Amino acid sequence: CEGPWHQDITHQVQNAGPHEEMATSLRLQFSDVIVPIVAKLDAISDGSGGTLLDKCLVYWTQEHGVFSHAMENIPVVTFGSAKGAFATGLHLDYRDQNRFIPKGQYGDTPGDRPYIGLTYHQLLGSIAQGFGIPRAEWAESNHGGYGVKPTDLAAASVKDRYTHWGPQEWNVAGDKLPWWVT
């Protein structure tokens, strides 16, 4: 993963040139890869009045929220309902816009501070639940969601970013995301 792109674009994404390069790359990935795949799935009949896309869940995201390698405030776009397990046609924002991370990786300003919201762990657990994977196969013992929650949150990330998620987020990390998982 080391190399010109990683260091010169990803780690410099807060600067204008690398930011535009990253944005262009993500737009092309979405429009030239994801959209054509989804269109092909939607064009294949499933033999019962629906399409193959109706039986699938196509998931697209990337690793950049407001900052590089930051899990907060990242967009996630899904297509398909996985046989009705997931609601479609929605725009859901699980951020609490009254709570934001007060300091950031790059000395952010109030205009670009990411908001605190539900955890990414809850999203991944919701996908597992939507596919009927038993909770016993993915739930973590220290929060019930999918994926490891660091036991020492103060040491878990740059400038204590993840210390701002509290019991109200972690206590529901194993629950289905509201409105999305049916």
Short mmCIF file of all heavy atoms in Angstrom, two decimals, residues 11-52:
data_model
loop_
_atom_site.label_atom_id
_atom_site.label_comp_id
_atom_site.label_asym_id
_atom_site.label_seq_id
_atom_site.Cartn_x
_atom_site.Cartn_y
_atom_site.Cartn_z
N HIS A 11 -2.55 10.50 1.86
CA HIS A 11 -2.09 11.19 3.08
C HIS A 11 -2.03 12.70 2.92
O HIS A 11 -1.73 13.41 3.87
CB HIS A 11 -0.75 10.65 3.53
CG HIS A 11 -0.87 9.33 4.20
ND1 HIS A 11 0.21 8.67 4.73
CD2 HIS A 11 -1.94 8.53 4.43
CE1 HIS A 11 -0.19 7.53 5.26
NE2 HIS A 11 -1.50 7.42 5.08
N GLN A 12 -2.34 13.18 1.75
CA GLN A 12 -2.34 14.63 1.51
C GLN A 12 -3.71 15.13 1.07
O GLN A 12 -3.85 16.22 0.54
CB GLN A 12 -1.29 14.99 0.44
CG GLN A 12 0.12 14.57 0.78
CD GLN A 12 0.62 15.20 2.06
OE1 GLN A 12 0.39 16.38 2.32
NE2 GLN A 12 1.30 14.41 2.89
N VAL A 13 -4.75 14.32 1.31
CA VAL A 13 -6.07 14.61 0.76
C VAL A 13 -6.66 15.91 1.31
O VAL A 13 -7.59 16.47 0.73
CB VAL A 13 -7.01 13.40 0.97
CG1 VAL A 13 -7.48 13.30 2.40
CG2 VAL A 13 -8.16 13.44 -0.01
N GLN A 14 -6.12 16.41 2.39
CA GLN A 14 -6.62 17.69 2.93
C GLN A 14 -6.15 18.88 2.08
O GLN A 14 -6.67 19.97 2.22
CB GLN A 14 -6.21 17.87 4.40
CG GLN A 14 -4.76 18.24 4.60
CD GLN A 14 -3.81 17.05 4.60
OE1 GLN A 14 -4.18 15.93 4.26
NE2 GLN A 14 -2.57 17.29 4.97
N ASN A 15 -5.21 18.66 1.18
CA ASN A 15 -4.71 19.71 0.29
C ASN A 15 -5.48 19.70 -1.03
O ASN A 15 -5.93 18.65 -1.48
CB ASN A 15 -3.21 19.53 0.04
CG ASN A 15 -2.42 19.64 1.33
OD1 ASN A 15 -2.71 20.46 2.19
ND2 ASN A 15 -1.41 18.80 1.48
N ALA A 16 -5.61 20.84 -1.65
CA ALA A 16 -6.46 21.00 -2.83
C ALA A 16 -6.15 20.03 -3.97
O ALA A 16 -7.05 19.37 -4.48
CB ALA A 16 -6.39 22.44 -3.33
N GLY A 17 -4.91 19.94 -4.41
CA GLY A 17 -4.56 19.06 -5.54
C GLY A 17 -4.86 17.59 -5.25
O GLY A 17 -5.59 16.94 -6.02
N PRO A 18 -4.31 17.04 -4.18
CA PRO A 18 -4.63 15.65 -3.85
C PRO A 18 -6.11 15.41 -3.57
O PRO A 18 -6.66 14.36 -3.92
CB PRO A 18 -3.79 15.37 -2.59
CG PRO A 18 -2.64 16.31 -2.72
CD PRO A 18 -3.23 17.55 -3.34
N HIS A 19 -6.78 16.39 -3.00
CA HIS A 19 -8.22 16.25 -2.74
C HIS A 19 -8.99 16.08 -4.05
O HIS A 19 -9.84 15.19 -4.17
CB HIS A 19 -8.75 17.47 -1.98
CG HIS A 19 -10.21 17.38 -1.69
ND1 HIS A 19 -10.70 16.68 -0.62
CD2 HIS A 19 -11.29 17.86 -2.36
CE1 HIS A 19 -12.02 16.73 -0.63
NE2 HIS A 19 -12.40 17.46 -1.67
N GLU A 20 -8.69 16.88 -5.04
CA GLU A 20 -9.36 16.77 -6.33
C GLU A 20 -9.02 15.45 -7.02
O GLU A 20 -9.88 14.82 -7.62
CB GLU A 20 -9.02 17.96 -7.24
CG GLU A 20 -9.76 17.95 -8.56
CD GLU A 20 -11.29 17.85 -8.42
OE1 GLU A 20 -11.87 18.43 -7.49
OE2 GLU A 20 -11.91 17.16 -9.26
N GLU A 21 -7.76 15.04 -6.91
CA GLU A 21 -7.35 13.75 -7.48
C GLU A 21 -8.13 12.60 -6.85
O GLU A 21 -8.62 11.70 -7.52
CB GLU A 21 -5.85 13.54 -7.27
CG GLU A 21 -5.31 12.27 -7.84
CD GLU A 21 -4.80 12.41 -9.25
OE1 GLU A 21 -4.61 13.54 -9.72
OE2 GLU A 21 -4.60 11.37 -9.88
N MET A 22 -8.28 12.64 -5.53
CA MET A 22 -9.03 11.59 -4.82
C MET A 22 -10.50 11.64 -5.22
O MET A 22 -11.10 10.61 -5.50
CB MET A 22 -8.89 11.77 -3.31
CG MET A 22 -9.69 10.77 -2.50
SD MET A 22 -9.13 9.08 -2.66
CE MET A 22 -7.66 9.16 -1.66
N ALA A 23 -11.08 12.82 -5.25
CA ALA A 23 -12.50 12.95 -5.61
C ALA A 23 -12.75 12.43 -7.03
O ALA A 23 -13.72 11.71 -7.27
CB ALA A 23 -12.95 14.41 -5.48
N THR A 24 -11.87 12.78 -7.96
CA THR A 24 -12.01 12.30 -9.34
C THR A 24 -11.90 10.79 -9.39
O THR A 24 -12.69 10.11 -10.06
CB THR A 24 -10.94 12.96 -10.24
OG1 THR A 24 -11.15 14.37 -10.23
CG2 THR A 24 -11.01 12.43 -11.66
N SER A 25 -10.95 10.23 -8.67
CA SER A 25 -10.77 8.78 -8.65
C SER A 25 -12.00 8.07 -8.11
O SER A 25 -12.46 7.08 -8.68
CB SER A 25 -9.56 8.45 -7.78
OG SER A 25 -9.46 7.07 -7.57
N LEU A 26 -12.57 8.59 -7.02
CA LEU A 26 -13.75 7.97 -6.44
C LEU A 26 -14.97 8.08 -7.35
O LEU A 26 -15.76 7.14 -7.48
CB LEU A 26 -14.04 8.57 -5.06
CG LEU A 26 -12.99 8.25 -3.99
CD1 LEU A 26 -13.26 9.06 -2.74
CD2 LEU A 26 -12.95 6.77 -3.71
N ARG A 27 -15.12 9.23 -8.00
CA ARG A 27 -16.24 9.40 -8.95
C ARG A 27 -16.13 8.39 -10.09
O ARG A 27 -17.12 7.77 -10.49
CB ARG A 27 -16.26 10.82 -9.52
CG ARG A 27 -16.94 11.84 -8.65
CD ARG A 27 -17.18 13.14 -9.37
NE ARG A 27 -15.99 13.80 -9.84
CZ ARG A 27 -15.25 14.66 -9.12
NH1 ARG A 27 -15.62 14.97 -7.91
NH2 ARG A 27 -14.18 15.21 -9.62
N LEU A 28 -14.92 8.22 -10.63
CA LEU A 28 -14.72 7.28 -11.74
C LEU A 28 -14.93 5.84 -11.29
O LEU A 28 -15.52 5.04 -12.02
CB LEU A 28 -13.33 7.46 -12.34
CG LEU A 28 -13.13 8.74 -13.14
CD1 LEU A 28 -11.65 8.90 -13.52
CD2 LEU A 28 -14.02 8.76 -14.37
N GLN A 29 -14.46 5.51 -10.10
CA GLN A 29 -14.68 4.16 -9.57
C GLN A 29 -16.18 3.88 -9.47
O GLN A 29 -16.65 2.81 -9.87
CB GLN A 29 -14.03 4.03 -8.20
CG GLN A 29 -14.21 2.67 -7.57
CD GLN A 29 -13.77 2.66 -6.13
OE1 GLN A 29 -14.31 3.39 -5.32
NE2 GLN A 29 -12.77 1.85 -5.84
N PHE A 30 -16.92 4.85 -8.97
CA PHE A 30 -18.36 4.66 -8.83
C PHE A 30 -19.06 4.59 -10.19
O PHE A 30 -19.81 3.65 -10.47
CB PHE A 30 -18.95 5.79 -7.98
CG PHE A 30 -20.37 5.57 -7.59
CD1 PHE A 30 -20.68 4.74 -6.52
CD2 PHE A 30 -21.39 6.17 -8.29
CE1 PHE A 30 -22.00 4.51 -6.16
CE2 PHE A 30 -22.72 5.96 -7.93
CZ PHE A 30 -23.02 5.12 -6.86
N SER A 31 -18.78 5.55 -11.05
CA SER A 31 -19.50 5.62 -12.33
C SER A 31 -19.05 4.57 -13.34
O SER A 31 -19.87 4.10 -14.14
CB SER A 31 -19.37 7.02 -12.95
OG SER A 31 -18.03 7.27 -13.31
N ASP A 32 -17.78 4.20 -13.32
CA ASP A 32 -17.26 3.29 -14.33
C ASP A 32 -17.19 1.84 -13.89
O ASP A 32 -16.97 0.95 -14.71
CB ASP A 32 -15.87 3.74 -14.79
CG ASP A 32 -15.91 5.07 -15.53
OD1 ASP A 32 -17.00 5.64 -15.71
OD2 ASP A 32 -14.82 5.55 -15.92
N VAL A 33 -17.33 1.58 -12.59
CA VAL A 33 -17.26 0.20 -12.10
C VAL A 33 -18.57 -0.20 -11.42
O VAL A 33 -19.22 -1.15 -11.84
CB VAL A 33 -16.06 0.02 -11.13
CG1 VAL A 33 -16.04 -1.39 -10.57
CG2 VAL A 33 -14.75 0.35 -11.82
N ILE A 34 -18.95 0.51 -10.39
CA ILE A 34 -20.12 0.12 -9.60
C ILE A 34 -21.42 0.24 -10.39
O ILE A 34 -22.22 -0.70 -10.44
CB ILE A 34 -20.20 0.94 -8.29
CG1 ILE A 34 -18.95 0.70 -7.44
CG2 ILE A 34 -21.47 0.63 -7.52
CD1 ILE A 34 -18.73 -0.73 -7.02
N VAL A 35 -21.66 1.38 -11.01
CA VAL A 35 -22.91 1.58 -11.74
C VAL A 35 -23.09 0.56 -12.87
O VAL A 35 -24.17 -0.02 -13.00
CB VAL A 35 -23.04 3.04 -12.24
CG1 VAL A 35 -24.22 3.20 -13.18
CG2 VAL A 35 -23.17 3.98 -11.04
N PRO A 36 -22.07 0.26 -13.67
CA PRO A 36 -22.25 -0.77 -14.70
C PRO A 36 -22.54 -2.16 -14.12
O PRO A 36 -23.35 -2.90 -14.69
CB PRO A 36 -20.93 -0.77 -15.47
CG PRO A 36 -20.40 0.62 -15.28
CD PRO A 36 -20.80 0.99 -13.88
N ILE A 37 -21.92 -2.51 -13.02
CA ILE A 37 -22.21 -3.82 -12.39
C ILE A 37 -23.66 -3.87 -11.95
O ILE A 37 -24.38 -4.84 -12.19
CB ILE A 37 -21.26 -4.08 -11.21
CG1 ILE A 37 -19.86 -4.37 -11.71
CG2 ILE A 37 -21.77 -5.21 -10.32
CD1 ILE A 37 -18.81 -4.43 -10.61
N VAL A 38 -24.12 -2.80 -11.29
CA VAL A 38 -25.50 -2.75 -10.81
C VAL A 38 -26.47 -2.81 -11.99
O VAL A 38 -27.49 -3.51 -11.94
CB VAL A 38 -25.72 -1.49 -9.96
CG1 VAL A 38 -27.19 -1.23 -9.70
CG2 VAL A 38 -24.95 -1.61 -8.65
N ALA A 39 -26.17 -2.09 -13.07
CA ALA A 39 -27.04 -2.10 -14.25
C ALA A 39 -27.14 -3.51 -14.84
O ALA A 39 -28.23 -3.95 -15.25
CB ALA A 39 -26.53 -1.11 -15.30
N LYS A 40 -26.03 -4.23 -14.88
CA LYS A 40 -26.05 -5.60 -15.40
C LYS A 40 -26.88 -6.51 -14.51
O LYS A 40 -27.66 -7.34 -15.00
CB LYS A 40 -24.63 -6.13 -15.56
CG LYS A 40 -23.91 -5.48 -16.72
CD LYS A 40 -22.47 -5.95 -16.83
CE LYS A 40 -21.81 -5.20 -17.98
NZ LYS A 40 -20.40 -5.51 -18.11
N LEU A 41 -26.73 -6.39 -13.20
CA LEU A 41 -27.53 -7.21 -12.27
C LEU A 41 -29.01 -6.89 -12.41
O LEU A 41 -29.86 -7.78 -12.31
CB LEU A 41 -27.08 -6.97 -10.83
CG LEU A 41 -25.72 -7.54 -10.44
CD1 LEU A 41 -25.29 -7.01 -9.07
CD2 LEU A 41 -25.74 -9.06 -10.46
N ASP A 42 -29.33 -5.63 -12.63
CA ASP A 42 -30.73 -5.21 -12.75
C ASP A 42 -31.33 -5.62 -14.10
O ASP A 42 -32.55 -5.65 -14.25
CB ASP A 42 -30.83 -3.70 -12.55
CG ASP A 42 -32.24 -3.27 -12.18
OD1 ASP A 42 -32.94 -4.04 -11.48
OD2 ASP A 42 -32.65 -2.17 -12.60
N ALA A 43 -30.50 -5.95 -15.07
CA ALA A 43 -30.99 -6.34 -16.40
C ALA A 43 -31.23 -7.85 -16.51
O ALA A 43 -31.81 -8.31 -17.49
CB ALA A 43 -29.99 -5.90 -17.46
N ILE A 44 -30.83 -8.61 -15.50
CA ILE A 44 -30.97 -10.07 -15.55
C ILE A 44 -32.22 -10.47 -14.78
O ILE A 44 -32.32 -10.24 -13.57
CB ILE A 44 -29.73 -10.77 -14.97
CG1 ILE A 44 -28.48 -10.39 -15.77
CG2 ILE A 44 -29.92 -12.28 -14.94
CD1 ILE A 44 -27.18 -10.85 -15.14
N SER A 45 -33.15 -11.08 -15.45
CA SER A 45 -34.40 -11.54 -14.81
C SER A 45 -34.09 -12.68 -13.86
O SER A 45 -33.26 -13.55 -14.14
CB SER A 45 -35.39 -12.01 -15.88
OG SER A 45 -36.51 -12.62 -15.26
N ASP A 46 -34.80 -12.69 -12.73
CA ASP A 46 -34.64 -13.80 -11.79
C ASP A 46 -35.66 -14.91 -12.04
O ASP A 46 -35.74 -15.89 -11.31
CB ASP A 46 -34.72 -13.32 -10.34
CG ASP A 46 -36.10 -12.85 -9.92
OD1 ASP A 46 -37.04 -12.86 -10.73
OD2 ASP A 46 -36.24 -12.45 -8.75
N GLY A 47 -36.48 -14.75 -13.07
CA GLY A 47 -37.46 -15.75 -13.44
C GLY A 47 -38.76 -15.66 -12.67
O GLY A 47 -39.69 -16.43 -12.92
N SER A 48 -38.86 -14.73 -11.71
CA SER A 48 -40.11 -14.62 -10.94
C SER A 48 -40.63 -13.19 -10.91
O SER A 48 -41.32 -12.79 -9.98
CB SER A 48 -39.87 -15.12 -9.51
OG SER A 48 -38.92 -14.30 -8.85
N GLY A 49 -40.27 -12.41 -11.93
CA GLY A 49 -40.76 -11.04 -12.03
C GLY A 49 -39.81 -10.00 -11.49
O GLY A 49 -40.06 -8.81 -11.61
N GLY A 50 -38.74 -10.41 -10.88
CA GLY A 50 -37.74 -9.48 -10.37
C GLY A 50 -36.45 -9.60 -11.15
O GLY A 50 -36.41 -10.21 -12.22
N THR A 51 -35.42 -9.03 -10.61
CA THR A 51 -34.11 -9.11 -11.25
C THR A 51 -33.10 -9.68 -10.27
O THR A 51 -33.36 -9.80 -9.07
CB THR A 51 -33.62 -7.72 -11.71
OG1 THR A 51 -33.31 -6.92 -10.55
CG2 THR A 51 -34.64 -7.02 -12.59
N LEU A 52 -31.96 -10.02 -10.80
CA LEU A 52 -30.88 -10.52 -9.95
C LEU A 52 -30.49 -9.48 -8.90
O LEU A 52 -30.18 -9.83 -7.76
CB LEU A 52 -29.68 -10.91 -10.81
CG LEU A 52 -28.55 -11.68 -10.13
CD1 LEU A 52 -29.07 -12.92 -9.43
CD2 LEU A 52 -27.49 -12.04 -11.15
#
